[in-house]
Amino acid sequence: MSELHTGGCHCGQLRYQFSGALHDIAHCHCSICRRVSGAVVTTWITVPASAFQWLTGQPAQYDSSPTCARYFCRHCGAQLALVTQLSADSIDVTIATLDHPEQAPAERHIWTDSRLPWLHLDEHLPSEPEETL
């Protein structure tokens, strides 16, 4: 039996679920995540696309780069997920939109070449200058 995880946006227009263990969780420091979220870091979990489904609503899509599409709520603006052509069989979901984000601690840092120099967060975790797929 697989673990089932649910989440959604702030206003409740979008709900999603995915199955599987909570692993492959990373704090992303890239400038694109900062700009689209308004946060200094965005924490993502990567899950198989086949394990993910939207339960209610249809997200709006923003192509933040030639290879990456981000999904967000058109009503409240919450950023929920992204897919990249570099890893087409998976989807990244924002940990903060899970119903129980406390169950999903980060395991590593990615895109640390873009890390803000004054940010000190989970410094004991492994770091990658760019994300490795």
Side-chain angles (χ1 to χ4, degrees), residues 69-84:
R70 293 169 185 264
Y71 297 94
F72 64 96
C73 177
R74 69 183 82 250
H75 300 281
C76 68
Q79 179 180 206
L80 295 128
L82 72 78
V83 294
T84 175

Side-chain angles (χ1 to χ4, degrees), residues 6-9 15-16 78-81 93-101:
T6 57
C9 66
R15 295 288 300 160
Y16 63 81
Q79 179 180 206
L80 295 128
V93 180
T94 53
I95 289 298
T97 63
L98 283 171
D99 291 339
H100 296 285

Side-chain angles (χ1 to χ4, degrees), residues 3 25 28 52 62 71 74 81 101 103 109 112 114-115 126 132:
E3 297 177 53
I25 302 169
C28 182
F52 179 91
Y62 170 65
Y71 297 94
R74 69 183 82 250
Q103 297 176 353
H109 294 272
T112 57
S114 301
R115 182 189 308 222
T132 57

Side-chain angles (χ1 to χ4, degrees), residues 6-7 11 15 18 22 27 32 39-40 43 51 55 61 80 83 85 87 92 110 112 117:
T6 57
C11 71
R15 295 288 300 160
F18 63 88
L22 294 172
H27 293 310
I32 297 172
V40 296
T43 306
L55 298 174
Q61 178 179 328
L80 295 128
V83 294
Q85 294 173 8
S87 183
D92 293 340
I110 55 175
T112 57

